[in-house]
Amino acid sequence: MATSEGPFAGPASPAVRRARASDIRPIRELVAPYVAERAIVPKPAVAYYESVQEFRVVEIGGRLVGCGAVHVMWDDVAEIRTVAVDPTVKGRGVGTLLLRTLVDDARELGVSRLFCLTFEVGFFAAHGFREIEGQVVAPDVYAELLQSYDEGVAEFLDLDRIKPNTLGNTRMLLQL
């Protein structure tokens, strides 16, 4: 998917595509400053490779400038995760283009709710996400999700063991 409108009109238009294994190193480089700022939870390289099929990337002129993923957690809920945009193109619509694509992916996967944990509350709120507190799944689903080893699921469940890694983040949800 590419766009030819707005600040990217012409040959330098952003193109969104599914990530490939060869994108993992550039994704990790893009994400590294966000990890250093504790805006994105650190993950080993193998976790990126294992989830490459969940990722979309944005390129401008062949350069990777954005990434993000949709991770299904249950039959009706998925997480938007690891959203990062190169600071040199921030504010130029890359994040919006990426998020819209990820939301479309979630719809295609058949989930009805999207979760995110973010410092970028205004950005996600502008796209329909709302702040949440407490649990948004039934107790039996909560019990099943507790069996996951995925840190994103722990964030979604707001488990005490993950809170030191997510201080200051806001839990948000979008109804599709």
Side-chain angles (χ1 to χ4, degrees):
M1 172 174 19
T3 183
S4 59
E5 34 187 82
F8 298 110
S13 294
V16 180
R17 64 168 173 77
R18 294 211 174 272
R20 299 183 282 260
S22 61
D23 293 321
I24 297 302
R25 288 180 198 270
I27 287 171
R28 293 190 74 224
E29 290 171 11
L30 183 63
V31 169
Y34 293 94
V35 171
E37 296 170 359
R38 300 186 66 176
I40 292 178
V41 176
K43 293 186 279 192
V46 69
Y48 284 92
Y49 284 104
E50 290 174 340
S51 62
V52 68
Q53 69 280 357
E54 299 176 354
F55 273 85
R56 292 286 190 150
V57 295
V58 181
E59 291 180 321
I60 297 177
R63 184 171 68 98
L64 195 143
V65 296
C67 68
V70 175
H71 179 79
V72 175
M73 292 190 281
W74 203 249
D75 66 350
D76 66 335
V77 67
E79 179 187 10
I80 297 285
R81 57 171 55 172
T82 320
V83 174
V85 173
D86 186 309
T88 65
V89 298
K90 266 194 167 181
R92 295 177 57 199
V94 170
T96 294
L97 178 63
L98 178 63
L99 183 58
R100 286 180 181 158
T101 302
L102 295 172
V103 169
D104 288 345
D105 288 349
R107 284 189 176 105
E108 187 176 311
L109 289 165
V111 297
S112 58
R113 300 180 296 165
L114 274 175
F115 165 77
C116 72
L117 183 71
T118 186
F119 287 108
E120 301 292 338
V121 174
F123 173 77
F124 283 95
H127 292 89
F129 284 77
R130 299 291 171 245
E131 293 183 38
I132 58 169
E133 292 184 23
Q135 291 310 317
V136 294
V137 294
D140 60 326
V141 173
Y142 182 91
E144 289 286 338
L145 290 173
L146 280 174
Q147 298 178 55
S148 175
Y149 294 106
D150 187 276
E151 292 298 303
V153 173
E155 293 166 355
F156 175 70
L157 297 177
D158 202 26
L159 299 180
D160 286 337
R161 71 173 172 82
I162 198 75
K163 286 185 180 180
N165 296 329
T166 61
L167 289 176
N169 278 295
T170 299
R171 297 169 71 235
M172 301 184 81
L173 196 69
L174 173 68
Q175 298 285 336
L176 298 178

PDB file of all heavy atoms in Angstrom, residues 79-100:
ATOM      1  N   GLU A  79      -3.199  -6.914  20.199  1.00  0.00           N
ATOM      2  CA  GLU A  79      -2.412  -5.774  20.652  1.00  0.00           C
ATOM      3  C   GLU A  79      -1.696  -5.139  19.472  1.00  0.00           C
ATOM      4  O   GLU A  79      -1.127  -5.829  18.631  1.00  0.00           O
ATOM      5  CB  GLU A  79      -1.371  -6.209  21.685  1.00  0.00           C
ATOM      6  CG  GLU A  79      -0.508  -5.061  22.169  1.00  0.00           C
ATOM      7  CD  GLU A  79       0.647  -5.482  23.058  1.00  0.00           C
ATOM      8  OE1 GLU A  79       0.924  -6.691  23.171  1.00  0.00           O
ATOM      9  OE2 GLU A  79       1.285  -4.583  23.626  1.00  0.00           O
ATOM     10  N   ILE A  80      -1.727  -3.829  19.424  1.00  0.00           N
ATOM     11  CA  ILE A  80      -0.854  -3.059  18.532  1.00  0.00           C
ATOM     12  C   ILE A  80       0.432  -2.888  19.329  1.00  0.00           C
ATOM     13  O   ILE A  80       0.408  -2.360  20.437  1.00  0.00           O
ATOM     14  CB  ILE A  80      -1.462  -1.671  18.216  1.00  0.00           C
ATOM     15  CG1 ILE A  80      -2.772  -1.796  17.468  1.00  0.00           C
ATOM     16  CG2 ILE A  80      -0.450  -0.816  17.476  1.00  0.00           C
ATOM     17  CD1 ILE A  80      -2.657  -2.176  16.025  1.00  0.00           C
ATOM     18  N   ARG A  81       1.548  -3.357  18.767  1.00  0.00           N
ATOM     19  CA  ARG A  81       2.792  -3.303  19.534  1.00  0.00           C
ATOM     20  C   ARG A  81       3.972  -2.891  18.660  1.00  0.00           C
ATOM     21  O   ARG A  81       3.925  -2.962  17.456  1.00  0.00           O
ATOM     22  CB  ARG A  81       3.080  -4.639  20.217  1.00  0.00           C
ATOM     23  CG  ARG A  81       3.157  -5.824  19.284  1.00  0.00           C
ATOM     24  CD  ARG A  81       3.657  -7.110  19.930  1.00  0.00           C
ATOM     25  NE  ARG A  81       2.910  -7.515  21.090  1.00  0.00           N
ATOM     26  CZ  ARG A  81       3.080  -8.675  21.717  1.00  0.00           C
ATOM     27  NH1 ARG A  81       3.956  -9.550  21.278  1.00  0.00           N
ATOM     28  NH2 ARG A  81       2.376  -8.962  22.787  1.00  0.00           N
ATOM     29  N   THR A  82       5.000  -2.467  19.361  1.00  0.00           N
ATOM     30  CA  THR A  82       6.287  -2.122  18.758  1.00  0.00           C
ATOM     31  C   THR A  82       6.122  -1.102  17.628  1.00  0.00           C
ATOM     32  O   THR A  82       6.737  -1.209  16.574  1.00  0.00           O
ATOM     33  CB  THR A  82       7.027  -3.387  18.260  1.00  0.00           C
ATOM     34  OG1 THR A  82       6.856  -4.449  19.210  1.00  0.00           O
ATOM     35  CG2 THR A  82       8.513  -3.127  18.100  1.00  0.00           C
ATOM     36  N   VAL A  83       5.289  -0.092  17.866  1.00  0.00           N
ATOM     37  CA  VAL A  83       5.118   0.980  16.894  1.00  0.00           C
ATOM     38  C   VAL A  83       6.257   1.980  17.085  1.00  0.00           C
ATOM     39  O   VAL A  83       6.450   2.516  18.175  1.00  0.00           O
ATOM     40  CB  VAL A  83       3.753   1.680  17.054  1.00  0.00           C
ATOM     41  CG1 VAL A  83       3.658   2.894  16.137  1.00  0.00           C
ATOM     42  CG2 VAL A  83       2.621   0.700  16.772  1.00  0.00           C
ATOM     43  N   ALA A  84       7.010   2.179  16.021  1.00  0.00           N
ATOM     44  CA  ALA A  84       8.132   3.119  16.057  1.00  0.00           C
ATOM     45  C   ALA A  84       8.218   3.840  14.722  1.00  0.00           C
ATOM     46  O   ALA A  84       8.016   3.243  13.669  1.00  0.00           O
ATOM     47  CB  ALA A  84       9.434   2.373  16.338  1.00  0.00           C
ATOM     48  N   VAL A  85       8.533   5.125  14.799  1.00  0.00           N
ATOM     49  CA  VAL A  85       8.697   5.953  13.600  1.00  0.00           C
ATOM     50  C   VAL A  85      10.033   6.678  13.724  1.00  0.00           C
ATOM     51  O   VAL A  85      10.364   7.216  14.784  1.00  0.00           O
ATOM     52  CB  VAL A  85       7.540   6.968  13.454  1.00  0.00           C
ATOM     53  CG1 VAL A  85       7.801   7.948  12.317  1.00  0.00           C
ATOM     54  CG2 VAL A  85       6.222   6.241  13.241  1.00  0.00           C
ATOM     55  N   ASP A  86      10.787   6.685  12.646  1.00  0.00           N
ATOM     56  CA  ASP A  86      12.067   7.391  12.599  1.00  0.00           C
ATOM     57  C   ASP A  86      11.818   8.861  12.950  1.00  0.00           C
ATOM     58  O   ASP A  86      10.936   9.500  12.359  1.00  0.00           O
ATOM     59  CB  ASP A  86      12.662   7.265  11.195  1.00  0.00           C
ATOM     60  CG  ASP A  86      14.056   7.847  11.094  1.00  0.00           C
ATOM     61  OD1 ASP A  86      14.271   9.010  11.510  1.00  0.00           O
ATOM     62  OD2 ASP A  86      14.932   7.144  10.567  1.00  0.00           O
ATOM     63  N   PRO A  87      12.571   9.414  13.911  1.00  0.00           N
ATOM     64  CA  PRO A  87      12.359  10.811  14.312  1.00  0.00           C
ATOM     65  C   PRO A  87      12.459  11.807  13.157  1.00  0.00           C
ATOM     66  O   PRO A  87      11.830  12.865  13.195  1.00  0.00           O
ATOM     67  CB  PRO A  87      13.463  11.067  15.337  1.00  0.00           C
ATOM     68  CG  PRO A  87      13.843   9.718  15.839  1.00  0.00           C
ATOM     69  CD  PRO A  87      13.611   8.761  14.707  1.00  0.00           C
ATOM     70  N   THR A  88      13.198  11.478  12.105  1.00  0.00           N
ATOM     71  CA  THR A  88      13.354  12.414  10.983  1.00  0.00           C
ATOM     72  C   THR A  88      12.078  12.572  10.168  1.00  0.00           C
ATOM     73  O   THR A  88      11.977  13.513   9.383  1.00  0.00           O
ATOM     74  CB  THR A  88      14.503  11.987  10.042  1.00  0.00           C
ATOM     75  OG1 THR A  88      14.176  10.739   9.424  1.00  0.00           O
ATOM     76  CG2 THR A  88      15.818  11.890  10.782  1.00  0.00           C
ATOM     77  N   VAL A  89      11.104  11.670  10.333  1.00  0.00           N
ATOM     78  CA  VAL A  89       9.843  11.782   9.587  1.00  0.00           C
ATOM     79  C   VAL A  89       8.644  11.906  10.514  1.00  0.00           C
ATOM     80  O   VAL A  89       7.499  11.899  10.046  1.00  0.00           O
ATOM     81  CB  VAL A  89       9.644  10.598   8.601  1.00  0.00           C
ATOM     82  CG1 VAL A  89      10.745  10.588   7.555  1.00  0.00           C
ATOM     83  CG2 VAL A  89       9.546   9.272   9.322  1.00  0.00           C
ATOM     84  N   LYS A  90       8.889  12.040  11.811  1.00  0.00           N
ATOM     85  CA  LYS A  90       7.768  12.197  12.751  1.00  0.00           C
ATOM     86  C   LYS A  90       6.971  13.439  12.411  1.00  0.00           C
ATOM     87  O   LYS A  90       7.524  14.460  12.020  1.00  0.00           O
ATOM     88  CB  LYS A  90       8.278  12.285  14.190  1.00  0.00           C
ATOM     89  CG  LYS A  90       8.286  10.975  14.887  1.00  0.00           C
ATOM     90  CD  LYS A  90       8.469  11.156  16.373  1.00  0.00           C
ATOM     91  CE  LYS A  90       8.147   9.859  17.056  1.00  0.00           C
ATOM     92  NZ  LYS A  90       8.283   9.963  18.485  1.00  0.00           N
ATOM     93  N   GLY A  91       5.652  13.331  12.551  1.00  0.00           N
ATOM     94  CA  GLY A  91       4.773  14.450  12.279  1.00  0.00           C
ATOM     95  C   GLY A  91       4.413  14.598  10.810  1.00  0.00           C
ATOM     96  O   GLY A  91       3.759  15.561  10.426  1.00  0.00           O
ATOM     97  N   ARG A  92       4.826  13.633   9.980  1.00  0.00           N
ATOM     98  CA  ARG A  92       4.562  13.718   8.539  1.00  0.00           C
ATOM     99  C   ARG A  92       3.595  12.637   8.056  1.00  0.00           C
ATOM    100  O   ARG A  92       3.503  12.381   6.866  1.00  0.00           O
ATOM    101  CB  ARG A  92       5.877  13.637   7.779  1.00  0.00           C
ATOM    102  CG  ARG A  92       6.781  14.838   8.070  1.00  0.00           C
ATOM    103  CD  ARG A  92       8.122  14.774   7.405  1.00  0.00           C
ATOM    104  NE  ARG A  92       8.005  14.641   5.964  1.00  0.00           N
ATOM    105  CZ  ARG A  92       8.997  14.203   5.187  1.00  0.00           C
ATOM    106  NH1 ARG A  92      10.153  13.876   5.708  1.00  0.00           N
ATOM    107  NH2 ARG A  92       8.822  14.089   3.887  1.00  0.00           N
ATOM    108  N   GLY A  93       2.890  11.990   8.998  1.00  0.00           N
ATOM    109  CA  GLY A  93       1.850  11.041   8.617  1.00  0.00           C
ATOM    110  C   GLY A  93       2.263   9.586   8.549  1.00  0.00           C
ATOM    111  O   GLY A  93       1.431   8.720   8.287  1.00  0.00           O
ATOM    112  N   VAL A  94       3.531   9.282   8.805  1.00  0.00           N
ATOM    113  CA  VAL A  94       3.995   7.887   8.744  1.00  0.00           C
ATOM    114  C   VAL A  94       3.295   7.041   9.804  1.00  0.00           C
ATOM    115  O   VAL A  94       2.819   5.945   9.526  1.00  0.00           O
ATOM    116  CB  VAL A  94       5.529   7.806   8.894  1.00  0.00           C
ATOM    117  CG1 VAL A  94       5.999   6.363   9.079  1.00  0.00           C
ATOM    118  CG2 VAL A  94       6.214   8.423   7.683  1.00  0.00           C
ATOM    119  N   GLY A  95       3.212   7.554  11.020  1.00  0.00           N
ATOM    120  CA  GLY A  95       2.554   6.817  12.100  1.00  0.00           C
ATOM    121  C   GLY A  95       1.089   6.562  11.812  1.00  0.00           C
ATOM    122  O   GLY A  95       0.575   5.470  12.056  1.00  0.00           O
ATOM    123  N   THR A  96       0.408   7.553  11.284  1.00  0.00           N
ATOM    124  CA  THR A  96      -1.011   7.401  10.946  1.00  0.00           C
ATOM    125  C   THR A  96      -1.192   6.360   9.850  1.00  0.00           C
ATOM    126  O   THR A  96      -2.064   5.493   9.953  1.00  0.00           O
ATOM    127  CB  THR A  96      -1.609   8.753  10.518  1.00  0.00           C
ATOM    128  OG1 THR A  96      -1.588   9.623  11.652  1.00  0.00           O
ATOM    129  CG2 THR A  96      -3.028   8.609  10.009  1.00  0.00           C
ATOM    130  N   LEU A  97      -0.389   6.428   8.806  1.00  0.00           N
ATOM    131  CA  LEU A  97      -0.460   5.446   7.724  1.00  0.00           C
ATOM    132  C   LEU A  97      -0.218   4.037   8.265  1.00  0.00           C
ATOM    133  O   LEU A  97      -0.956   3.100   7.946  1.00  0.00           O
ATOM    134  CB  LEU A  97       0.569   5.789   6.642  1.00  0.00           C
ATOM    135  CG  LEU A  97       0.674   4.841   5.459  1.00  0.00           C
ATOM    136  CD1 LEU A  97      -0.638   4.798   4.676  1.00  0.00           C
ATOM    137  CD2 LEU A  97       1.823   5.274   4.553  1.00  0.00           C
ATOM    138  N   LEU A  98       0.773   3.905   9.110  1.00  0.00           N
ATOM    139  CA  LEU A  98       1.096   2.608   9.704  1.00  0.00           C
ATOM    140  C   LEU A  98      -0.039   2.107  10.588  1.00  0.00           C
ATOM    141  O   LEU A  98      -0.482   0.959  10.461  1.00  0.00           O
ATOM    142  CB  LEU A  98       2.394   2.719  10.510  1.00  0.00           C
ATOM    143  CG  LEU A  98       2.856   1.477  11.243  1.00  0.00           C
ATOM    144  CD1 LEU A  98       3.164   0.346  10.271  1.00  0.00           C
ATOM    145  CD2 LEU A  98       4.088   1.806  12.079  1.00  0.00           C
ATOM    146  N   LEU A  99      -0.545   2.961  11.480  1.00  0.00           N
ATOM    147  CA  LEU A  99      -1.607   2.540  12.390  1.00  0.00           C
ATOM    148  C   LEU A  99      -2.870   2.145  11.631  1.00  0.00           C
ATOM    149  O   LEU A  99      -3.507   1.143  11.964  1.00  0.00           O
ATOM    150  CB  LEU A  99      -1.913   3.633  13.411  1.00  0.00           C
ATOM    151  CG  LEU A  99      -2.952   3.261  14.463  1.00  0.00           C
ATOM    152  CD1 LEU A  99      -2.527   2.023  15.255  1.00  0.00           C
ATOM    153  CD2 LEU A  99      -3.200   4.431  15.404  1.00  0.00           C
ATOM    154  N   ARG A 100      -3.225   2.901  10.614  1.00  0.00           N
ATOM    155  CA  ARG A 100      -4.410   2.532   9.821  1.00  0.00           C
ATOM    156  C   ARG A 100      -4.243   1.160   9.186  1.00  0.00           C
ATOM    157  O   ARG A 100      -5.192   0.373   9.125  1.00  0.00           O
ATOM    158  CB  ARG A 100      -4.675   3.594   8.748  1.00  0.00           C
ATOM    159  CG  ARG A 100      -5.251   4.866   9.317  1.00  0.00           C
ATOM    160  CD  ARG A 100      -5.508   5.889   8.244  1.00  0.00           C
ATOM    161  NE  ARG A 100      -6.044   7.108   8.832  1.00  0.00           N
ATOM    162  CZ  ARG A 100      -5.984   8.286   8.249  1.00  0.00           C
ATOM    163  NH1 ARG A 100      -5.431   8.426   7.061  1.00  0.00           N
ATOM    164  NH2 ARG A 100      -6.495   9.344   8.842  1.00  0.00           N
TER     165      ARG A 100
END
